[in-house]
Amino acid sequence: MKFEEIEVLMRKNEALSEQYILPENFIIVRLDGKGFTKLTKEKLELEKPFDERFHLAMTATMQHLFMVGFRVIYGYTQSDEISLLIHKDENTFSRKVRKFNSVLAGEASAFFSLQFQQIGVFDCRTIAIPNHDMILDYFCWRQEDSHRNSLSAYCYWTLIKNNFTAKQAATKIEKMSQSDKNELLYQFGINYNNLPLWQKRGVGMYSKEVVKQGFNPVTQLSLECMRNELYLETKIPIREDYRLFLNSILKSK
């Protein structure tokens, strides 16, 4: 078979396997650390249950993903995951799913690995979101997941630090309600409500207009101008207030 014939066949096979995000759909991409449990336990010396250096590395990785060529409206990170909301008019790579997944997973993996000089790999999934309500539902879901996992992690590591085995700690909290878990922590002198918000609810990132002081060298006058800057929201609200917060960002885009 001639080269030209082989190329036509292979291009056809590639095209037949492509998936696309349909027009007028927003795009949400979620990246998760692959094998991060082993990475954080065996190769990185981290505080338990949360380590600020790890959190800052995840936040920096999220910020980097805002700058790799996609029109990102909003980013959210908690634990070892990052979610990105991409504008419905984004047409990079003709909205091919494999391109979104491969580029963003590769960028995140490379950038994060440099932060600790250890290989950290992310997997990536791309989701089509047809309307605003589903966007709000998605991010509320991820925030609630953050809260539940955070509470369980604090209980687990509190028990470990108080001489429980891993199996004993996991068994004890397995069927506990959230109120029972709060009570358990309180018995060990920890008020969950007073813990840093980023540990409980994650953080968000988006572009917002800010006023900057400038100087006109021609007129020799000071002036004010508007600039778009990435803003890290470390105190994102919860439940219905979070929906209102997200909706205000969507309306501005």
Side-chain angles (χ1 to χ4, degrees):
M1 188 179 289
K2 294 181 179 180
F3 173 82
E4 291 77 10
E5 294 173 335
I6 295 173
E7 182 173 36
V8 169
L9 176 61
M10 295 305 165
R11 294 294 185 187
K12 183 178 180 180
N13 288 342
E14 284 184 351
L16 289 172
S17 65
E18 290 285 12
Q19 289 182 306
Y20 296 82
I21 300 295
L22 294 176
E24 294 302 311
N25 279 262
F26 288 90
I27 302 166
I28 287 182
V29 175
R30 185 163 83 250
L31 301 107
D32 283 290
K34 179 180 178 293
F36 268 34
T37 299
K38 183 177 181 179
L39 173 69
T40 56
K41 284 186 176 180
E42 297 181 8
K43 296 184 179 181
L44 302 178
E45 296 181 1
L46 302 178
E47 293 289 327
K48 302 293 190 301
F50 292 96
D51 185 277
E52 188 169 13
R53 292 174 303 152
F54 182 87
H55 166 65
L56 292 175
M58 289 296 298
T59 302
T61 301
M62 175 172 64
Q63 180 175 344
H64 173 71
L65 296 179
F66 270 76
M67 305 173 186
V68 299
F70 299 100
R71 191 174 171 185
V72 181
I73 298 173
Y74 180 70
Y76 172 78
T77 183
Q78 56 106 347
S79 186
D80 66 342
E81 75 169 52
I82 297 169
S83 291
L84 303 174
L85 172 64
I86 298 174
H87 200 282
K88 64 182 179 65
D89 295 334
E90 177 63 76
N91 200 41
T92 303
F93 301 123
S94 300
R95 301 169 71 88
K96 293 177 182 177
V97 171
R98 70 175 174 87
K99 283 290 192 177
F100 279 81
N101 288 344
S102 59
V103 170
L104 288 168
E107 290 280 357
S109 300
F111 187 91
F112 180 88
S113 297
L114 291 173
Q115 307 309 299
F116 287 105
Q117 298 298 305
Q118 291 282 351
I119 294 175
V121 177
F122 288 85
D123 63 36
C124 184
R125 69 212 71 183
T126 297
I127 311 161
I129 302 290
N131 57 59
H132 282 196
D133 282 342
M134 285 188 67
I135 293 171
L136 305 184
D137 288 341
Y138 174 87
F139 283 102
C140 286
W141 167 51
R142 298 321 302 150
Q143 191 196 63
E144 184 59 26
D145 181 77
S146 172
H147 165 63
R148 290 171 182 265
N149 290 339
S150 166
L151 182 57
S152 293
Y154 257 103
C155 289
Y156 176 84
W157 286 106
T158 297
L159 293 173
I160 292 294
K161 291 173 183 178
N162 284 274
N163 301 319
F164 281 68
T165 66
K167 183 177 181 179
Q168 288 171 336
T171 300
K172 185 173 179 62
I173 67 174
E174 183 178 10
K175 296 182 179 180
M176 276 188 169
S177 66
Q178 292 191 51
S179 60
D180 288 339
K181 290 176 182 177
N182 273 283
E183 180 59 30
L184 184 151
L185 292 177
Y186 192 74
Q187 291 173 3
F188 286 97
I190 300 172
N191 186 334
Y192 185 74
N193 292 327
N194 294 337
L195 295 174
L197 283 177
W198 66 264
Q199 297 181 5
K200 299 185 290 184
R201 298 286 179 177
V203 297
M205 181 174 286
Y206 58 99
S207 176
K208 63 186 276 188
E209 283 192 334
V210 296
V211 178
K212 289 288 187 179
Q213 295 295 324
F215 179 77
N216 188 323
V218 177
T219 63
Q220 297 292 304
L221 296 175
S222 297
L223 51 83
E224 289 186 346
C225 53
M226 301 298 294
R227 292 285 187 270
N228 283 316
E229 290 189 354
L230 284 180
Y231 177 75
L232 181 66
E233 181 56 76
T234 60
K235 297 181 180 180
I236 55 177
I238 63 174
R239 300 183 180 88
E240 287 305 313
D241 287 337
Y242 189 36
R243 296 178 72 89
L244 293 173
F245 165 75
L246 291 170
N247 209 29
S248 68
I249 295 174
L250 288 171
K251 287 181 177 179
S252 70
K253 307 301 180 182

